[in-house]
Amino acid sequence: MLRRTVRLFAALVMILSGTFAGTVLAAGTAHADGCYTWTRTLSQGSSGADVTQLQIRLGGYAGYGAVLATDGSFGPATEAAVKRFQSAYGLTADGVAGSNTFNKLYALQDDDCTPIHFSYAELNDCNSDWSGGAVGAATAKANALRTMWKLEAVRHALGDQPITVTSGFRSYACNSAVGGASNSRHLYGDAADLGAGPHSLCTLARQARSHGFRGILGPGYPGHDDHTHVDHRDSQYWSAPTCGI
């Protein structure tokens, strides 16, 4: 918590110092971030690994029923996601990712690239090396990172109150031990089960529809009355009958 507070304070000081000194900061170069530093302004037509990094962090701003591709190509969908992110955090919503947008992202991520309110440990209560699932360990971990950034967007949309993750990645052995479905998305690292807390399970299920999740299962769906499940399956399937979904 102290490290996160220091990072947030440092980002604020950086922004204010540039403002009061009349300094125009180059896009993405306000500071060297511990996770990733953007070095240029990104807008429609941009392409490359830096666009992919941006898309990973903006996956939760795809819009209702949409999923933002992480293909390294800055097209209309990425521009729309940038605008939604900017609006959500009180920035000028111009769809251009420059220093203000990057500084906000720096403030929202830890040095391991996870969003500040979620961690790899929360998304993996099975084993620490992410092995034994339906995909390779690196892919499972990368999928979990995308999930966390989407959950960060859900959290912010719901007033920045905590969201409890009760289950994330599972190896086949872990999945079998908890009675998971043989084709569970947990085996891919791209699923999370959310428990009730400040928000009801139905509130979480309804909000998830606007934040890049193709799979949403909640109260009223068999075996899901005590949690809301979200994932990145290949095609959309939402079912939470108790919640009107």
Side-chain angles (χ1 to χ4, degrees), residues 18 60 124 131 160 245:
N124 183 353
S131 65
D160 283 315
I245 298 173

Side-chain angles (χ1 to χ4, degrees), residues 216-238:
I216 304 172
L217 306 174
Y221 185 83
H224 288 72
D225 286 335
D226 62 350
H227 68 280
T228 289
H229 169 99
V230 294
D231 66 46
H232 308 311
R233 66 187 64 198
D234 293 334
S235 59
Q236 183 175 298
Y237 186 81
W238 296 347

Side-chain angles (χ1 to χ4, degrees), residues 99-122:
S99 59
N100 289 336
T101 299
F102 296 140
N103 281 333
K104 185 72 246 182
L105 289 171
Y106 295 144
L108 287 172
Q109 67 184 15
D110 280 329
D111 286 351
D112 64 355
C113 299
T114 59
I116 57 176
H117 298 108
F118 297 92
S119 68
Y120 283 118
E122 287 179 275

